[in-house]
Amino acid sequence: MKFFLDTANTDEIKQALDWGLCDGVTTNPTLIAREGRNMEDAVKEIADLVGDRPVSAEVLAVEHDAIVEEAQERAAWAPNVVVKIPTIPEGVKAMRTCSELGIPINATLIFSSAQALLAAKAGAAYVSPFVGRQDDVGYDGMRTVEEIAVMLRNYDALTSEIILASARTVGHVIRGTQCGAHIVTLPFKTLEQLFKHPMTDIGLESFLNDYREMQEQLGG
Ligand code: G3P
């Protein structure tokens, strides 16, 4: 499973790269706004930082021609930019146009396998079901991931990869590996949580203490 970082914060991206745990980055307008930055500047800097790994940048338009125009602009920012388009009727139409133009698309705001099917049929390189936000409103978001994974396995012509988005917990990541998500996009906090287990900290402390005590006894 690939790990993308769901952030526009360059310090977080640098840390994840240093750990060897960043296969790409996804942004959205909220994440860019959180950094108080202009989207073009932020995405160009991130795209440069991550080398040839994909960086998703979202369109703000909601009508076909305007979406395609924005998609072309964003794709010209850097060779590794993937354009995020909302999975609405005009968006799906624009996904098809952009895919035909060779612009890689991340179909975003997916909340059902039906929406993922439409995006996959339109040639989206990635489909992004929002698992956490489905859980928020009482659905099992991971069921959607499972359904999409089965659907994509059943049809060779549908070549989209699943990005498990809105991943908020370690459980989301682990269940995602079992449900067939190709990629999970993680907030930095969730990436950090993957490392954590109290038994590891307790075990490490006792290993180091035991050895230190033995050295002190030998030295003394
Ligand atoms: O980037 C889209 C998605 O990952 C948003 O996550 O936590 O705001 O639902 P969240």
Side-chain angles (χ1 to χ4, degrees):
M1 176 189 250
K2 286 184 183 167
F3 282 3
F4 287 2
L5 217 59
D6 197 29
T7 187
N9 182 296
T10 50
D11 290 336
E12 293 178 350
I13 295 165
K14 283 177 194 163
Q15 179 60 79
L17 285 168
D18 187 55
W19 284 332
L21 293 172
C22 178
D23 301 309
V25 173
T26 53
T27 68
N28 63 39
T30 302
L31 293 172
I32 303 262
R34 201 172 285 163
E35 300 306 313
R37 299 191 64 185
N38 162 275
M39 190 186 296
E40 181 172 350
D41 295 343
V43 170
K44 281 181 174 172
E45 186 182 345
I46 294 167
D48 187 48
L49 201 57
V50 300
D52 57 1
R53 299 169 180 86
V55 178
S56 289
E58 192 156 340
V59 296
L60 302 171
V62 292
E63 181 274 323
H64 173 270
D65 294 354
I67 294 174
V68 173
E69 194 179 320
E70 281 190 17
Q72 286 174 307
E73 279 168 21
R74 280 152 180 64
W77 289 346
N80 51 338
V81 166
V82 171
V83 180
K84 249 176 154 179
I85 297 180
T87 311
I88 56 176
E90 289 287 299
V92 170
K93 186 176 158 190
M95 287 174 201
R96 185 175 301 281
T97 307
C98 290
S99 299
E100 284 167 2
L101 289 170
I103 299 170
I105 299 303
N106 175 355
T108 190
L109 287 166
I110 287 182
F111 290 89
S112 73
S113 45
Q115 291 174 322
L117 176 60
L118 296 174
K121 279 175 68 63
Y126 304 99
V127 291
S128 291
F130 277 35
V131 170
R133 291 192 193 190
Q134 279 197 285
D135 291 355
D136 288 346
V137 292
Y139 291 91
D140 179 10
M142 209 59 68
R143 275 291 301 155
T144 307
V145 176
E146 273 174 359
E147 287 173 9
I148 297 169
V150 170
M151 182 178 85
L152 294 177
R153 275 202 298 272
N154 283 345
Y155 295 94
D156 290 343
L158 302 179
T159 55
S160 311
E161 287 190 289
I162 303 170
I163 300 180
L164 194 168
S166 189
R168 313 249 183 83
T169 65
V170 172
H172 282 150
V173 180
I174 301 307
R175 276 194 69 197
T177 62
Q178 289 155 14
C179 292
H182 303 94
I183 300 153
V184 61
T185 190
L186 295 157
F188 187 74
K189 191 168 146 249
T190 312
L191 179 62
E192 282 184 311
Q193 281 170 344
L194 293 178
F195 285 104
K196 292 190 199 307
H197 198 290
M199 295 300 287
T200 303
D201 299 336
I202 292 166
L204 180 61
E205 196 183 346
S206 71
F207 284 162
L208 297 179
N209 280 342
D210 290 347
Y211 197 77
R212 196 177 306 122
E213 276 173 25
M214 180 273 292
Q215 279 183 311
E216 281 167 9
Q217 280 165 12
L218 288 178

